[in-house]
Amino acid sequence: MPAGTLYRGREGMWSWVAHRVTGVLIFFFLFVHVLDTALVRVSPEDYDKVVATYKTPIVALLEYGLVAAILFHALNGLRVIAVDFWSKGPRYQKQMLWSVVGLWLVLMLGAIYPVLGHAARELFGS
Amino acid sequence: MATTESTAAGVGPVEGGSLYDVDHPAPFIEAPRKRTKKTPKSTRGNFEMAAWLFMRLSGVVLVVLVLGHLLIQLVLDGGVSKIGFAFVAGRWASPFWQVWDLLMLWLAMLHGANGLRTVVNDYAERANTRLWLKGLLYTATVFTILLGTLVIFTFDPNIR
Ligand code: HEM
Ligand code: HEM
């Protein structure tokens, strides 16, 4: 690990690590996502076959994870922007971080049913 | 330069000022980052500043585009279960969603690629490693943007 990429910055450091990890994950997802969407130019059958795997319970869990990554990256990104451009941003960065975490938790709870509901119905029947 | 070029222990010759005079009995130490004759006229330009600004501007727009996309694809109207060729055909029949997806594709790819450039700069220390990683990154980025753009513009609902 190169020197200088970890510092004793408490919450600020960990939010930066999480922002970086989620950003890289989303980028790799997007690369694959454009490839799979390109199958609409191959044939409707090929596209539907691949998309069918996205509806399985295990992939539903991955989708929930993707939502978690994007929601954190988006909310924390707005916080970073506020710290940079809002004159009081640096003073309230910590409060903003806890607001980000709180809002993220609420949204993730709200996403359980829409994102995972169909998987639960498939697994446990309905 | 009246005084000699004598260099006291650890202090190199300083440009544009004498080492000692009555007001500076001790060796004069140049201010860090002072512009001297050795400073190149033009440094790297404003690219890094533009990139920094782009990350923030694109970020704000992406909040709307990507969270809206996720809402449509995963939450509304039955979530993932409704997705299929027919669904995509319905969406791309509208220029509004074509432009939405096109903008999202370009902004997210450029934003992500620039972010990854920073990450490579931070962790890849050998010049050769950096060169290869960035070459790979830029190739993948250009390829993905071109492919995605082509798919949106050439989409054919009656392909079969
Ligand atoms: C698991 C969650 C996701 C699902 C189910 C999904 C689904 C889809 C579908 C069905 C399309 C076809 C066009 C349309 O209906 O608009 C599409 C296109 C697209 N999606 Fe997503 N998406 C997801 C997440 C994302 C995320 C997180 C991003 C951005 C980071 C993204 C970026 C795009 C782009 C750029 C296109 C256009 C692709 C092209 O130009 O060929 N998607 N997505
Ligand atoms: C949803 C809205 C988004 C917002 C508000 C946002 C915001 C930001 C901001 C402000 C930065 C700069 C951080 C800094 O300079 O310290 C950043 C970095 C980054 N973003 Fe995003 N972003 C968003 C979406 C995305 C997407 C879709 C991707 C992937 C395709 C992505 C990948 C990255 C990467 C890889 C970095 C670099 C991280 C680092 O250097 O540590 N972001 N984002």
Side-chain angles (χ1 to χ4, degrees):
Chain A
M1 185 64 88
T5 55
L6 281 182
Y7 57 99
R8 300 190 194 195
R10 301 163 52 99
E11 313 92 342
M13 178 187 82
W14 294 110
S15 69
W16 170 79
V17 170
H19 194 81
R20 175 160 278 192
V21 171
T22 51
V24 172
L25 280 177
I26 301 164
F27 184 80
F28 287 143
F29 162 81
L30 185 55
F31 177 69
V32 179
H33 184 48
V34 174
L35 289 182
D36 68 50
T37 303
L39 285 175
V40 295
R41 290 296 297 125
V42 178
S43 80
E45 292 77 23
D46 288 305
Y47 182 77
D48 287 345
K49 210 184 293 164
V50 170
V51 172
T53 61
Y54 299 168
K55 303 172 184 176
T56 59
I58 292 178
V59 182
L61 218 53
L62 295 178
E63 280 152 10
Y64 192 69
L66 180 73
V67 171
I70 294 195
L71 277 179
F72 177 80
H73 191 96
L75 294 173
N76 187 246
L78 291 177
R79 166 178 163 265
V80 170
I81 294 169
V83 169
D84 286 342
F85 288 109
W86 179 37
S87 59
K88 297 204 180 100
R91 187 160 6 125
Y92 291 119
Q93 64 88 12
K94 201 185 275 185
Q95 285 92 327
M96 287 197 289
L97 178 58
W98 293 117
S99 313
V100 163
V101 172
L103 193 56
W104 179 83
L105 271 173
V106 171
L107 291 173
M108 285 313 289
L109 284 176
I112 292 180
Y113 180 72
V115 178
L116 296 174
H118 68 94
R121 278 191 294 278
E122 184 171 326
L123 285 177
F124 309 115
S126 62
Chain B
M1 285 277 237
T3 45
T4 56
E5 286 283 283
S6 78
T7 43
V11 181
V14 173
E15 277 189 55
S18 65
L19 283 176
Y20 308 99
D21 61 32
V22 277
D23 295 323
H24 299 94
F28 175 74
I29 297 174
E30 199 166 78
R33 297 196 199 89
K34 185 178 174 221
R35 302 270 138 176
T36 68
K37 271 180 261 158
K38 279 189 211 144
T39 314
K41 278 256 155 38
S42 149
T43 45
R44 286 217 278 156
N46 279 330
F47 177 74
E48 289 299 341
M49 208 269 269
W52 180 91
L53 196 61
F54 171 74
M55 289 308 272
R56 278 137 188 86
L57 295 180
S58 57
V60 174
V61 181
L62 281 169
V63 170
V64 178
L65 294 178
V66 174
L67 296 190
H69 184 70
L70 282 179
L71 198 65
I72 292 165
Q73 307 293 355
L74 289 181
V75 179
L76 302 179
D77 221 353
V80 265
S81 313
K82 86 229 162 200
I83 298 179
F85 186 85
F87 172 76
V88 179
R91 286 184 34 89
W92 279 347
S94 148
F96 178 83
W97 295 114
Q98 287 185 316
V99 172
W100 180 297
D101 281 355
L102 195 66
L103 208 60
M104 180 165 65
L105 171 75
W106 281 71
L107 286 181
M109 282 308 293
L110 292 176
H111 176 106
N114 187 244
L116 242 77
R117 184 182 65 90
T118 310
V119 175
V120 170
N121 280 338
D122 278 354
Y123 298 111
E125 294 188 351
R126 289 180 45 233
N128 232 336
T129 320
R130 279 168 182 246
L131 194 74
W132 279 103
L133 285 179
K134 285 194 208 168
L136 189 67
L137 173 65
Y138 299 153
T139 314
T141 304
V142 170
F143 170 79
T144 312
I145 291 181
L146 288 183
L147 176 68
T149 306
L150 190 82
V151 167
I152 295 178
F153 278 117
T154 67
F155 179 74
D156 174 9
N158 304 313
I159 188 168
R160 191 147 295 162

